[in-house]
Amino acid sequence: MKRLGLPSLAGGAGGTGGTGEAENTHASSLKGVSSFVKRKITPILIKFMSIFLTSLKKSGRLDGIHITAGIVDSRKIEKEDDYGNSGWNIFAPNLTIYGFDADPQVCEQLNRYIESRNLNWTEKHIPLALSKTLGKAKLYVTKFPGCSSLYLPNEPYIQRFSGVYKDMHKLVNTTEV
């Protein structure tokens, strides 16, 4: 598995890792905001944009535009994770989606699934972990795949929560990527 070095944008992936409490709190709050946006704001924006974009599509104003999207941690856990069917498909056939996930098996499954759907846009999932450094690293795999990270789960922070949230971050195993 190759790992591509990129600048860090928001601390630890998965929102529970990292080296300092400030980074952990920041990343966790971003994950909370991300979850809120995904559940509440995104459907409203999609509805608005679908009306607006449908008008542009019908008038031919989107014909010369090609959209390329990169999705980090591209496994499709929830319905909203299928970006091609979440409003982005309006750009088809001028839509390219590149998904990145550290798990090669997930990428293989997603690519087979994409092939079976005969989509009118390009979508490819690449088994690549994105990080701020080049080289190999340890991936901490958690019970809920969306919480897996290159950062060790911060147990003292996770202990603040209860129930499902706490259980999702339970470390299952580690693997080198």
Side-chain angles (χ1 to χ4, degrees), residues 14-74:
T16 59
T19 55
E21 186 66 28
E23 180 179 281
N24 294 335
T25 302
H26 176 69
S28 179
S29 67
L30 284 177
K31 185 166 180 82
V33 167
S34 174
S35 176
F36 173 77
V37 167
K38 189 183 250 185
R39 288 182 291 110
K40 301 291 184 181
I41 304 298
T42 300
I44 295 167
L45 288 174
I46 288 172
K47 181 71 172 169
F48 171 75
M49 291 303 292
S50 68
I51 294 167
F52 179 66
L53 290 173
T54 300
S55 173
L56 291 174
K57 181 80 168 183
K58 284 180 184 175
S59 68
R61 296 189 185 266
L62 297 181
D63 294 346
I65 296 175
H66 188 97
I67 300 290
T68 301
I71 311 298
V72 178
D73 188 19
S74 65

Side-chain angles (χ1 to χ4, degrees), residues 65 155 159:
I65 296 175
E155 288 299 328
Q159 294 305 317

Side-chain angles (χ1 to χ4, degrees), residues 126-141:
I126 303 162
L128 189 67
L130 302 179
S131 173
K132 64 182 177 181
T133 60
L134 288 172
K136 294 195 178 284
K138 187 182 291 189
L139 177 68
Y140 297 92
V141 180

Side-chain angles (χ1 to χ4, degrees), residues 13-15 31 73 75 77 142-149:
K31 185 166 180 82
D73 188 19
R75 66 182 69 222
I77 298 171
T142 56
K143 187 171 182 177
F144 181 70
C147 296
S148 297
S149 174

Side-chain angles (χ1 to χ4, degrees), residues 96-158:
T96 302
I97 298 174
Y98 293 109
F100 300 93
D101 196 284
D103 188 335
Q105 290 175 328
V106 166
C107 290
E108 187 178 311
Q109 289 169 352
L110 288 171
N111 288 328
R112 278 196 312 267
Y113 174 66
I114 295 301
E115 249 182 70
S116 74
R117 289 175 57 195
N118 296 319
L119 303 175
N120 63 340
W121 66 84
T122 302
E123 185 169 341
K124 180 176 172 112
H125 296 268
I126 303 162
L128 189 67
L130 302 179
S131 173
K132 64 182 177 181
T133 60
L134 288 172
K136 294 195 178 284
K138 187 182 291 189
L139 177 68
Y140 297 92
V141 180
T142 56
K143 187 171 182 177
F144 181 70
C147 296
S148 297
S149 174
L150 295 177
Y151 294 96
L152 179 66
N154 184 331
E155 288 299 328
Y157 185 76
I158 294 168

